[in-house]
Amino acid sequence: MHDFRYVGKKLYCEGVALDTLARKFGTPLYVYSQHTLTDHFQKLDRAVAGVEHLICFAVKSNSNRSVLRTLALLGSGFDIVSGGELQRVIEAGGDPQRCVFAGVGKTESEIEIALRKAIYSFNVESEPELERINRIAARLKKIAPVAVRVNPDIAAGTHKKITTGTYENKFGIPFENIEGVYARASRLKNLRLRGLQMHIGSQITTVDPFDRAVRKVVPLVLRLKNKYGLEFFSIGGGSGIVYQHALASGDAAWWKSVQSNNILTPRKYAAQLLPLLQPLGLRILMEPGRFISGNAGVLITRVEYVKRTGRKNFLIVDAAMNDLIRPALYEAYHEIVPLLRKNGARAESDVVGPICESGDSFCHDRPLPKVGEGDYLALMSAGAYGSVMASNYNTRALAAEILVNGRQAAIVRDRQAVKKIWAGEKTAPWLKQHRASRHQSSVTS
Ligand SMILES: Cc1ncc(COP(=O)(O)O)c(C=O)c1O
């Protein structure tokens, strides 16, 4: 469910027509719905009310400070993967004591900051990391709360680049080794063994992989709880969302297809998993990213050219793979719709960006309404792993971001000024004294 829908011919986000935002703020433009973010958080929160729990929003999916603040105000915790994300969360008003710190490569300075800010738990990915955290905690005269990430070797049935819970992946510690690792960790004086964590992958669209992983891990969690007094078990994130027919989500036909296609909803997730988790008698952590932010955002783009070749109808738009890399990176599908609804003929089209890469494409041969230069399109479900993965490739400025709340819309990140892209670059001193000219010979002395 989300808050993007046509009212008459115009596509709206909550009470705001998206074409007015496109005209006022320019494109490419990310637009987020505050109501959708809130609704998704609350739906999950309510669904798992039968266990003591903490939802830690995965900051990596969307780290805009207004998005984080929206969630912080709802009582969300945060799943962070860098010192930078911790600082963002704090800037946004989030509580470090509701933060869990994941990632395979935490640096000494990141660990130190996280210890000083007294985060809830380090989700530890290796034994050398446990030793490093213990050493830094001893130096700071602190006790570090830790959970080890178990790799349960369960295939999540998702894209290989977002599968994390098999032994082919760099994440976590193999299931068979966990008890030995806890035994050794329990002898490290400056650690507190607070929990156990897992995360098997992203965009998982059925409950079954979670079910299999939880069933495998629960006996282990109970043994560790009895031995070391664990306080929590984190099931990680990974709940998938609807990308196809995303615009229709919420209407009767969509709900029917959700039911018949066994698509994951918070209710189904909770109904199947809570009976397995309740007997643990532990606090359950969840780390959803995409589920909360994915359908809460769109990327608006303008058609610059329509280029017809003998074989293809290319809609060349002003957004590119540097703005939204998911299609290029994962062959991901984003529904593409016009901001002004068009009736009538459709044409098989490739929506492509201006970057000099053949991979800079948002779809191939998709039947889309006939649009022309100056028309606006929305790439749906772009709220997760969209703006956060943007780059300055081709010296393209980062897009602006807008948050909508009812009839209000505010800019929550300015469009980057092109000059800012090279603001930190320097001309090497020996290059300064020469005018750039191919006729001048180079002087190296
Ligand atoms: C440890 C961990 N937790 C949570 C998430 C969030 O995943 P998702 O956005 O699929 O919910 C990720 C994503 O990579 C992750 O690595």
Side-chain angles (χ1 to χ4, degrees):
M1 277 283 264
H2 57 70
D3 293 81
F4 295 88
R5 61 180 60 84
Y6 284 107
V7 179
K9 282 195 175 315
K10 289 191 174 191
L11 187 62
Y12 273 68
C13 172
E14 303 190 24
V16 177
L18 289 174
D19 65 321
T20 56
L21 296 179
R23 266 191 286 277
K24 185 165 175 196
F25 297 105
T27 51
L29 186 69
Y30 276 99
V31 181
Y32 308 122
S33 157
Q34 185 172 335
H35 182 259
T36 307
L37 292 165
T38 304
D39 182 51
H40 288 170
F41 177 88
Q42 290 177 334
K43 277 209 171 91
L44 184 58
D45 201 31
R46 276 197 298 270
V48 296
V51 283
E52 196 212 328
H53 65 272
L54 176 63
I55 298 175
C56 295
F57 173 65
V59 175
K60 66 172 80 66
S61 74
N62 190 319
S63 59
N64 184 285
R65 280 168 44 188
S66 285
V67 170
L68 300 183
R69 186 158 183 79
T70 298
L71 294 160
L73 292 172
L74 296 168
S76 182
F78 296 94
D79 165 44
I80 56 166
V81 288
S82 69
E85 284 194 351
L86 178 57
Q87 286 175 47
R88 260 181 190 278
V89 166
I90 293 169
E91 284 283 320
D95 180 357
Q97 289 172 30
R98 289 173 164 254
C99 283
V100 289
F101 191 170
V104 294
K106 301 174 191 79
T107 64
E108 301 219 345
S109 63
E110 287 177 321
I111 292 168
E112 182 166 339
I113 295 171
L115 277 170
R116 289 190 190 284
K117 296 291 177 192
I119 64 163
Y120 181 66
S121 179
F122 290 89
N123 290 341
V124 176
E125 306 253 9
S126 65
E127 283 198 75
E129 186 190 327
L130 277 172
E131 284 155 20
R132 180 182 278 193
I133 294 173
N134 181 60
R135 206 172 52 241
I136 297 170
R139 173 163 55 78
L140 299 179
K141 300 192 173 38
K142 291 188 186 290
I143 302 294
V146 297
V148 172
R149 175 170 176 173
V150 55
N151 183 330
D153 199 25
I154 297 281
T158 185
H159 191 282
K160 71 173 190 310
K161 289 188 185 160
I162 49 175
T163 290
T164 58
T166 77
Y167 290 171
E168 290 301 309
N169 309 124
K170 66 182 172 185
F171 301 101
I173 290 180
F175 180 83
E176 297 75 18
N177 303 351
I178 288 287
E179 283 174 280
V181 170
Y182 272 76
R184 287 188 288 281
S186 69
R187 293 196 282 272
L188 299 176
K189 298 251 170 340
N190 288 76
L191 299 185
R192 169 184 172 196
L193 300 176
R194 195 169 211 173
L196 183 85
Q197 190 254 3
M198 69 172 199
H199 171 75
I200 57 173
S202 198
Q203 185 52 16
I204 300 169
T205 50
T206 66
V207 196
D208 292 346
F210 293 109
D211 185 285
R212 277 184 284 126
V214 169
R215 280 181 199 276
K216 180 165 180 183
V217 167
V218 153
L220 171 70
V221 181
L222 278 173
R223 287 198 298 277
L224 295 173
K225 178 190 168 193
N226 293 337
K227 242 184 174 162
Y228 306 108
L230 301 193
E231 175 182 298
F232 76 88
F233 170 55
S234 174
I235 189 171
S239 292
I241 61 166
V242 173
Y243 281 99
Q244 306 227 354
H245 311 299
L247 192 58
S249 83
D251 69 18
W254 183 81
W255 274 112
K256 214 167 156 195
S257 111
V258 165
Q259 301 309 331
S260 57
N261 293 324
N262 197 26
I263 289 169
L264 197 53
T265 62
R267 221 184 272 179
K268 283 189 196 175
Y269 177 89
Q272 200 163 327
L273 299 180
L274 287 199
L276 305 176
L277 296 170
Q278 269 152 345
L280 288 175
L282 290 175
R283 185 179 217 196
I284 302 300
L285 264 61
M286 278 151 284
E287 303 161 8
R290 188 188 315 265
F291 170 76
I292 289 177
S293 58
N295 288 134
V298 298
L299 174 62
I300 301 175
T301 185
R302 180 180 184 275
V303 178
E304 293 292 334
Y305 300 97
V306 177
K307 176 174 170 178
R308 293 193 184 89
T309 65
R311 270 181 41 75
K312 289 277 192 180
N313 185 40
F314 290 108
L315 303 180
I316 301 171
V317 296
D318 66 356
M321 64 191 285
N322 75 298
D323 302 299
L324 178 64
I325 202 170
R326 297 190 66 258
L329 193 59
Y330 314 122
E331 291 105 36
Y333 180 100
H334 285 268
E335 190 171 355
I336 301 175
V337 295
L339 296 198
L340 285 182
R341 184 150 47 180
K342 311 235 175 206
N343 296 323
R346 290 181 167 250
E348 303 256 302
S349 305
D350 282 29
V351 177
V352 299
I355 282 183
C356 304
E357 300 263 353
S358 298
D360 182 25
S361 166
F362 295 119
C363 71
H364 294 290
D365 298 324
R366 198 180 293 174
L368 292 176
K370 285 192 172 165
V371 290
E373 181 183 331
D375 284 338
Y376 293 113
L377 299 173
L379 287 112
M380 304 299 296
S381 318
Y385 307 104
S387 62
V388 282
M389 291 177 102
S391 77
N392 287 128
Y393 189 38
N394 279 202
T395 308
R396 287 170 49 84
L398 299 180
E401 292 172 78
I402 304 285
L403 185 70
V404 170
N405 181 27
R407 288 172 187 276
Q408 311 176 79
I411 191 144
V412 292
R413 184 170 74 180
D414 289 329
R415 186 173 303 287
Q416 189 180 31
V418 173
K419 277 191 168 176
K420 288 254 169 79
I421 299 175
W422 59 80
E425 295 174 26
K426 306 265 186 292
T427 303
W430 61 88
L431 296 173
K432 281 187 183 162
Q433 48 198 305
H434 302 291
R435 268 188 299 138
S437 160
R438 65 195 173 92
H439 297 298
Q440 281 187 326
S441 58
S442 64
V443 179
T444 50
S445 60

